[in-house]
Amino acid sequence: MNLPRVVLVLIDESSSPIANSVATVVATLLGIERMGLQQPIGKAKVKFPKQSVLVLSCEQISRLAELRLHGFDGAVLVLASESFDALGAKHPILLWGQGSHDACTYPWKLPDLLEKVAELVPMEPENLKMLQKELKAADRWFQRRVIPCLRKLAKKQGNGAVDAKALRSLTTIIEQLRADTPVACHAVVEVGGYSAQIQQHFQTLLEQMGQPDNYDDTQIVLLREVFTKWRDLVMKAGEGLGAFS
């Protein structure tokens, strides 16, 4: 059994006092290093420590996708109130990599924590590459499905009306997003100076486009902005994993 070299915790705005305390105790008892990990920003290159285990609270799971996209291959231990199977059903990103993700269920007993940290292994390079490709699927879907649809809508028909077929296609796309990425669709974002849930922005713009007197190019611009914010949220959180392949 090879112990990890480093126990990691997130020290950005999502920092968890419980995860920090557990990481400190585990690292001390196993005689290994404990380090704080900043969330990567943008496309900046990040060098992660090798043979590491990242301790997360349930609330921090949404941070994992961005770390994986930046090349983090370390193992992950989640401090949970439910079983790993239940967590995996909610967060499919935890199911990638044989033996690289696990959960310790409350009350977090020290022997269990030490055993799980010792048993976890880093992700294999090929598995990480496959996961990264899956995490980027939302962007490919955005380019393949959403952008062509918006381009069709931007080309008004001879009578100035919106393309009815393209509008139906857009409605179908939005319905899929609401079904597969409910968290992102409920997120409040500002578009055109107006703050609302993403799904509300979609609904408002769809209604406007269905009324020829209110329809102009402004709706297309705003729609693209809403879709872009949706894509960024989904890629950052890893929501809808497998839905856009």
Side-chain angles (χ1 to χ4, degrees), residues 27 58 67 95 106 124 130 187 221:
C58 284
L67 289 170
L95 303 179
Y106 184 85
E124 293 290 340
M130 290 172 64
V221 174

Side-chain angles (χ1 to χ4, degrees), residues 26-206:
V26 168
T28 300
L29 292 176
L30 292 178
I32 57 180
E33 188 177 2
R34 173 199 179 278
M35 289 179 57
L37 185 64
Q38 290 277 5
Q39 188 73 15
I41 299 175
K43 296 182 179 180
K45 279 194 171 185
V46 183
K47 188 174 181 180
F48 298 101
K50 296 296 183 182
Q51 294 292 116
S52 62
V53 172
L54 174 63
V55 179
L56 297 177
S57 67
C58 284
E59 293 74 22
Q60 293 174 311
I61 296 174
S62 62
R63 301 279 175 158
L64 183 56
E66 192 168 11
L67 289 170
R68 295 300 194 202
L69 281 170
H70 277 81
F72 175 65
D73 66 353
V76 173
L77 179 65
V78 182
L79 304 176
S81 58
E82 55 190 339
S83 70
F84 180 71
D85 287 344
L87 273 181
K90 296 177 183 177
H91 306 281
I93 193 171
L94 297 175
L95 303 179
W96 285 75
Q98 184 68 33
S100 298
H101 302 84
D102 204 349
C104 196
T105 308
Y106 184 85
W108 309 297
K109 297 180 180 179
L110 192 52
D112 292 340
L113 289 166
L114 295 174
E115 181 180 358
K116 288 180 181 293
V117 166
E119 290 178 346
L120 283 164
V121 297
M123 290 191 72
E124 293 290 340
E126 193 59 35
N127 282 335
L128 179 59
K129 288 180 182 178
M130 290 172 64
L131 173 57
Q132 289 173 330
K133 183 178 179 181
E134 191 62 44
L135 288 169
K136 294 174 183 176
D139 180 58
R140 294 194 300 273
W141 188 85
F142 171 79
Q143 301 294 339
R144 188 178 66 249
R145 290 285 309 279
V146 176
I147 296 303
C149 184
L150 294 181
R151 285 173 179 161
K152 289 180 181 178
L153 287 167
K155 296 179 181 179
K156 295 179 184 178
Q157 297 179 331
N159 58 3
V162 66
D163 185 323
K165 184 177 179 181
L167 188 59
R168 287 195 299 272
S169 178
L170 179 67
T171 302
T172 300
I173 287 171
I174 292 173
E175 287 174 351
Q176 180 180 348
L177 302 192
R178 294 182 66 178
D180 293 329
T181 57
V183 175
C185 286
H186 280 83
V188 176
V189 299
E190 183 176 330
V191 175
Y194 175 60
S195 291
Q197 292 181 350
I198 282 179
Q199 63 177 4
Q200 292 173 327
H201 282 298
F202 280 140
Q203 185 62 36
T204 299
L205 291 167
L206 278 175

